[in-house]
Amino acid sequence: MEKTLLLLKPSAIQRGLIGEIISRIEKKGLRLVGIKMMQLNDDILNEHYAHLQHKPFFQNIKNSMMATPIVATCWEGVGAVEVIRLMTGVTNSRLALPGTIRGDFSMSVTENIVHTSDSPKTAITEIKRFFKDEELFDYEMASLGYLYAKDEFNP
Ligand code: UDP
Ligand code: MG
């Protein structure tokens, strides 16, 4: 089944939103397969935000991501990347729709509380960047048969 990465940024940690955000994803029906607290540094952020290296806000976003530890989470489910991306809302939190994580809890573009993978291909690369193989867990989710119809997933 598809996996995706969700980072709780320093703005989520400082705003006391770790539980709230994780709870939303849990309740939606994604399976948590990895979770850890990490202090990010320049090396990992240069890689993670390589697509933004020529943007004027590049140093700002890196500083923002190093301000406190972050909480890295990995989730699994049918269409997990798109589901969590939709639950995240657009980059500019002021324009993110109510009901989304950014839309409900944030007012900022930079301090937009979560990072989520934007495509299945990106998700594979990003999960490897933040988690070692042994930090991701495979376990039976007892509710699986009620989360999906049999023809919606391959157990
Ligand atoms: N960002 C910013 N200013 C901008 C665009 C992006 O500070 O004009 C920050 C913001 O925190 C965003 C991150 O850079 O989440 C990565 O940008 P991306 O375009 O990948 O947005 P995302 O995928 O997080 O919605
Ligand atoms: Mg992005």
Side-chain angles (χ1 to χ4, degrees):
M1 230 183 261
E2 192 169 272
K3 291 187 180 70
T4 191
L5 179 80
L6 183 149
L7 304 179
L8 298 155
K9 295 183 176 186
S11 43
I13 277 73
Q14 292 290 7
R15 302 265 318 283
L17 291 169
I18 299 170
E20 174 73 44
I21 294 166
I22 289 177
S23 180
R24 282 189 175 213
I25 312 289
E26 257 189 314
K27 285 181 196 156
K28 174 71 174 167
L30 281 294
R31 180 172 77 140
L32 183 65
V33 295
I35 181 165
K36 62 174 175 176
M37 189 171 246
M38 308 168 66
Q39 176 60 51
L40 302 186
N41 59 30
D42 223 42
D43 290 342
I44 194 166
L45 287 167
N46 283 338
E47 209 180 287
H48 186 62
Y49 285 133
H51 62 295
L52 302 173
Q53 61 184 316
H54 301 300
K55 301 279 187 185
F57 57 84
F58 186 52
Q59 193 58 48
N60 284 350
I61 180 65
K62 288 200 296 175
N63 291 344
S64 156
M65 292 295 282
M66 293 188 282
T68 71
I70 57 113
V71 174
T73 62
C74 179
W75 298 88
E76 188 182 69
V78 174
V81 172
E82 188 177 20
V83 168
I84 292 193
R85 196 71 181 166
L86 284 170
M87 290 177 76
T88 297
V90 297
T91 310
N92 180 347
S93 301
R94 292 188 291 276
L95 302 180
L97 292 177
T100 64
I101 293 166
R102 288 171 174 166
D104 286 351
F105 301 123
S106 170
M107 283 292 285
S108 174
V109 177
T110 303
E111 305 296 343
N112 58 3
I113 65 176
V114 286
H115 164 84
T116 52
S117 305
D118 64 9
S119 74
K121 190 165 170 272
T122 316
I124 290 167
T125 312
E126 291 187 343
I127 291 164
K128 282 208 186 83
R129 181 174 299 139
F130 287 89
F131 288 95
K132 299 185 186 112
D133 284 349
E134 62 267 29
E135 291 172 333
L136 296 174
F137 295 87
D138 190 18
Y139 57 94
E140 193 177 327
M141 200 172 184
S143 55
L144 199 66
Y146 296 92
L147 281 168
Y148 303 102
K150 283 198 173 55
D151 62 355
E152 289 177 308
F153 71 96
N154 300 311

